[in-house]
Structures are given as structure tokens and as C-alpha cells.
């Protein structure tokens, strides 16, 4: 039995992580966008953290999927099951009544109109009376504290798991945008490829992510004496020459080399988006700079590198990882503005 008061809800349905914000409670759920089901019965056996633990380890009888991989809904049914499970968990955690609440869902920019409607239906079936769909960059901009309703343009670069979404926003709408299918997951792949090529070491995706989170960087740090300051971390994998397990000390400089091409793609995307914007707005951005959000936006020194390459001021959002979820939550406060933001989805087209 659910009890308590009805609260509005904001959901960040991300390719890597799903976050749920509940009015007056803040973020009540933050779990990997992963779901596991039994193949023969189609029964859901795990969602979120426990499902992520099963990734890469499940026997043939179990499917463990990331249903939003690559920034599109790659497994429609599983996405809906996962969303249902997360909404349910958030309702229980926040002791909210499962009826007549309003929901804003932030979705990856790659999803289709049909998929948006399906997301809406799932939320309604869970008891929502009004559902608004916001595209992630708009939600990220709001959650990063940007003044999206101002005539003065602002810019957000949201680097998630599957996509990097770059958007220039003014007057509550998206003026220019680019979505690149290259983000955190591809950064991991790049690290795997680098380790193989440089050290003949085959590492798993999780090890690659561990290296990225702990010693990943877009620029190597220098001390006051001008010498490089390097972080190190152990990487365990299989030696491709002997076939045996091996441990190697990896440095942040390795990460710099491994991530260089990926980072360059993000920078190119930023430049391309600025070129698409009307000159007055591009001029605003040179004054306002841009904000980085999403898990990938937290890569060390990525802000500095973008500043160096574009000449613009770059800031990492205070709550980069939570920006989209916070943005969905904040947007619930002003229904008129929310309708405008949701309508902005339809009027712009990603290239
Ligand atoms: P999505 O919106 O697609 O769900 P997120 O914004 O949750 O994605 O970001 C997930 C990605 O961010 C993952 O690839 C993860 O490895 C990466 N990530 C998380 N924290 C960090 C960090 N501190 N440094 C670099 N990458 C990070
Ligand atoms: Mg995201």
C-alpha cells in the first residue's frame, strides 16, 4: 500500500543511468539503465544496480540488456519495463501516492515520436495525470542553472553514456543543436583499444571505465616546476602474447592519449553547433560560454581543453551527473514554460 501525498516527478531516462526526482524530496533514485529478464518466461529478474552486476556474466537463459544503448531505444519492451519498475520504486521510496501526479521525462534526443508516446503511456499507466517529454539538452541546461528563457543565448554540452548532446538555447527553445553518438561508452571502447595496441593487454569494459573514472583526463596536468603530474592506477587484463592474466600500471598520460580522438570529436561538435547558430546568438555564447553536464562532462580537464580549443569560457555544471534530473524537477514549477520546452522538441530537428 502506498501512502502519503501526491508529488510531482521528474525522470532522467538516460542511456547509462536513470534518475528520478520527486518534488520536495530531491533525487530519490539513481540507478544504471539496465534490466535483466529470464528468456524462457520473459520474467523480469533484476532492474538497476543488481542488473548491472549481471552484465557480461549472464548464462544463456538470462538476457541482461541496456535497453537505451547508443542513445536510441534499442529494446522497446525492456525500456518500458525498466521505466515502470523505476517509477514504482521511486513512488515507494518517496511514499508518494500513485495517482494524479505530474511527470516530466527527459529522454535522449535520438528517440522517435512513437517512442516518446510510449514513454508517456507508461507514465500514465503508473498513475500520472500529465506527462511532458523534454529532450535531455533542454533539461540539462535548466538543471545546470542556465537561463533558458532569456533572449541571450546559452550553450550546454551534455556528455552521457550513448550520446553527446550539444545545444544552443534562447527564449525557451533550441536554436541550434548537434547530437553525436559518441560519449562515455565510446570513451571506454577507446581505452580498451589503446591498452590492446600499446600494452598488448586485453581489458574488459568495466576495467576501462574504472580507469576513465579514476585517472581519465583530457589534458595532462603540470606542476609549478613545469613537470608533468601523473596519476596512476592498476589495470588487470589478459596478456595477448602469453594469454595469461597480467597487471599493468597505467598513468593519466595513457588516458590522455586513449581519449584524445574522442575528446576531439566533442570539440568538433561544439564548433559545428556554433557555426549553425545565428551570428547574434553565437556572439552571446562568446560572452556566456558553455556548460558541461552529464557523467562524461566530468572528465578531468575537459573544461580546460575546450576553453583552449574554442577560446570560450567553460564551466562544469555544479551537479553535472544530476543536471538532467534536476532540470526535469525544476521545470515542473512553471507549467506554462514547461509546455513551451516540450513543444520545442517537435520544432527542431537533429542532423
Ligand atoms: P546518460 O545520460 O546517457 O545516462 P550519464 O550522464 O549518466 O549518461 O553519464 C554516464 C557516463 O558518464 C558513463 O559513460 C560513465 O562512465 C561516465 N562518467 C561518470 N562519472 C564520470 C567521471 N567522473 N569522469 C568521467 N566519466 C564519468
Ligand atoms: Mg543524460
Amino acid at each position: 500500500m502506498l501512502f502519503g501525498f501526491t508529488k510531482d516527478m521528474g525522470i532522467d531516462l538516460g542511456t547509462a543511468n536513470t534518475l528520478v526526482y520527486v518534488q520536495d524530496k530531491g533525487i530519490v533514485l539513481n540507478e544504471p539503465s539496465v534490466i535483466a529478464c529470464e528468456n524462457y518466461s520473459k520474467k523480469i529478474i533484476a532492474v538497476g544496480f543488481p542488473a548491472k552486476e549481471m552484465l557480461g556474466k549472464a548464462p544463456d537463459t538470462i538476457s541482461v540488456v541496456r535497453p537505451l544503448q547508443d542513445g536510441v531505444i534499442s529494446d522497446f519492451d525492456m525500456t518500458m519495463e525498466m521505466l515502470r519498475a523505476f517509477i514504482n520504486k521511486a513512488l515507494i521510496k518517496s511514499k508518494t501516492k500513485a495517482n494524479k501526479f505530474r511527470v516530466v521525462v527527459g529522454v535522449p534526443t535520438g528517440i522517435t515520436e512513437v517512442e516518446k508516446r510510449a514513454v508517456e503511456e507508461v507514465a500514465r499507466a503508473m498513475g500520472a495525470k500529465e506527462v511532458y517529454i523534454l529532450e535531455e539538452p533542454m533539461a540539462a541546461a535548466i538543471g545546470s542553472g542556465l537561463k533558458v528563457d532569456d533572449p541571450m543565448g546559452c550553450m550546454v554540452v551534455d556528455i552521457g553514456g550513448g550520446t553527446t548532446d550539444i545545444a544552443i538555447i534562447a527564449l525557451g527553445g533550441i536554436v541550434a543543436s548537434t547530437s553525436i553518438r559518441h560519449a562515455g561508452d565510446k570513451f571506454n571502447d577507446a581505452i580498451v583499444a589503446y591498452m590492446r595496441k600499446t600494452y598488448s593487454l586485453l581489458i574488459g569494459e568495466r576495467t576501462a571505465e574504472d580507469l576513465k573514472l579514476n585517472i581519465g583526463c583530457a589534458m595532462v596536468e603540470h606542476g609549478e616546476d613545469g613537470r608533468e603530474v601523473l596519476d596512476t592506477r592498476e589495470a588487470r587484463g589478459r596478456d595477448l602474447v602469453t594469454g595469461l592474466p597480467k597487471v599493468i600500471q597505467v598513468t593519466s598520460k595513457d588516458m590522455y592519449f586513449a581519449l584524445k580522438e574522442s575528446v576531439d570529436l566533442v570539440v568538433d561538435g561544439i564548433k559545428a553547433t556554433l557555426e549553425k547558430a545565428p551570428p547574434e546568438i553565437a556572439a552571446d555564447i562568446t560572452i556566456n560560454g558553455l556548460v558541461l553536464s552529464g557523467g562524461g562532462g566530468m572528465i578531468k580537464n575537459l573544461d580546460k581543453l575546450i576553453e583552449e580549443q574554442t577560446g570560450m569560457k567553460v564551466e562544469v555544471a555544479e551537479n553535472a551527473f544530476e543536471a538532467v534530473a534536476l532540470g526535469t524537477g525544476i521545470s515542473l514549477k512553471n507549467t506554462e514554460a514547461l509546455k513551451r520546452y516540450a513543444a520545442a522538441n517537435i520544432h527542431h530537428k537533429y542532423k
Side-chain angles (χ1 to χ4, degrees):
M1 231 337 243
L2 292 163
F3 50 95
F5 300 100
T6 298
K7 303 273 186 207
D8 291 335
M9 188 182 275
I11 303 172
D12 168 12
L13 186 61
T15 64
N17 298 290
T18 299
L19 282 75
V20 180
Y21 173 100
V22 172
Q23 183 196 352
D24 300 332
K25 306 255 175 184
I27 290 164
V28 298
L29 182 141
N30 175 0
E31 298 208 31
S33 302
V34 186
I35 181 165
C37 84
E38 218 167 45
N39 287 331
Y40 71 94
S41 66
K42 297 275 170 259
K43 204 178 112 199
I44 307 299
I45 50 173
V47 181
F49 286 116
K52 192 178 184 184
E53 286 296 309
M54 298 179 188
L55 268 181
K57 295 180 180 174
D60 290 346
T61 49
I62 297 173
S63 294
V64 186
V65 290
R66 282 185 53 192
L68 293 117
Q69 210 152 15
D70 295 331
V72 292
I73 293 187
S74 50
D75 189 329
F76 186 84
D77 294 339
M78 286 298 126
T79 300
M80 299 311 148
E81 287 296 337
M82 187 180 80
L83 180 60
R84 199 167 294 152
F86 283 145
I87 292 178
N88 197 33
K89 198 165 177 183
L91 286 170
I92 294 169
K93 274 191 160 180
S94 60
K95 301 185 171 66
T96 293
K97 272 188 193 160
N99 62 37
K100 301 208 173 134
F101 56 99
R102 298 186 308 150
V103 179
V104 176
V105 191
V107 297
T109 47
I111 91 169
T112 65
E113 287 306 313
V114 174
E115 289 165 342
K116 279 179 192 160
R117 267 197 295 281
V119 166
E120 208 177 305
E121 269 165 36
V122 168
R124 280 187 201 283
M126 296 300 295
K129 63 168 176 183
E130 283 167 43
V131 187
Y132 301 92
I133 306 286
L134 284 193
E135 287 185 346
E136 278 190 308
M138 179 59 93
I142 297 167
S144 303
L146 296 178
K147 297 196 180 80
V148 295
D149 294 312
D150 262 26
M152 179 97 177
C154 58
M155 185 171 196
V156 66
V157 178
D158 182 75
I159 309 178
T163 56
T164 295
D165 288 305
I166 306 163
I168 294 176
I169 296 168
L171 296 168
I174 292 177
V175 178
S177 60
T178 310
S179 181
I180 321 171
R181 291 224 179 124
H182 195 106
D185 295 333
K186 293 274 169 61
F187 298 177
N188 297 347
D189 295 346
I191 293 171
V192 172
Y194 173 87
M195 294 300 290
R196 179 198 279 266
K197 205 171 100 211
T198 313
Y199 297 112
S200 296
L201 187 76
L202 182 65
I203 60 168
E205 208 189 309
R206 280 195 198 194
T207 304
E209 183 166 43
D210 173 81
L211 293 173
K212 178 182 73 176
L213 300 189
N214 287 286
I215 59 168
C217 68
M219 275 167 89
V220 174
E221 300 253 307
H222 291 270
E224 279 180 7
D225 55 0
R227 294 240 296 261
E228 288 174 344
V229 181
L230 300 178
D231 297 321
T232 60
R233 194 157 175 95
E234 278 183 353
R236 284 166 199 281
R238 185 165 67 225
D239 187 324
L240 285 165
V241 181
T242 64
L244 297 171
K246 190 166 137 186
V247 184
I248 281 184
Q249 285 290 333
V250 185
T251 70
S252 43
K253 194 165 186 178
D254 287 308
M255 291 299 106
Y256 161 75
F257 287 125
L259 295 172
K260 190 169 183 322
E261 269 177 43
S262 298
V263 167
D264 286 346
L265 281 175
V266 173
V267 172
D268 288 347
I270 293 171
K271 289 181 181 163
T273 314
L274 281 165
E275 279 167 19
K276 283 187 223 168
E280 292 294 346
I281 301 252
D284 292 344
I285 306 297
T286 59
I287 298 167
N288 275 350
L290 65 89
V291 169
L292 281 174
S293 68
M298 300 193 292
I299 287 193
K300 200 168 176 187
N301 292 336
L302 181 58
D303 49 347
K304 286 196 193 135
L305 181 105
I306 299 172
E307 276 186 355
E308 203 180 271
Q309 304 257 319
T310 64
M312 286 186 316
K313 193 172 84 207
V314 181
E315 231 178 283
V316 181
E318 197 183 336
N319 300 298
F321 199 80
E322 300 171 346
V324 171
L326 292 174
T328 58
I330 294 167
S331 69
L332 280 159
K333 289 186 186 141
N334 183 342
T335 310
E336 282 315 304
L338 179 55
K339 285 182 183 157
R340 202 164 53 238
Y341 306 149
N345 289 343
I346 307 158
H347 301 300
H348 79 275
K349 222 176 161 48
Y350 277 81
K351 290 182 189 84

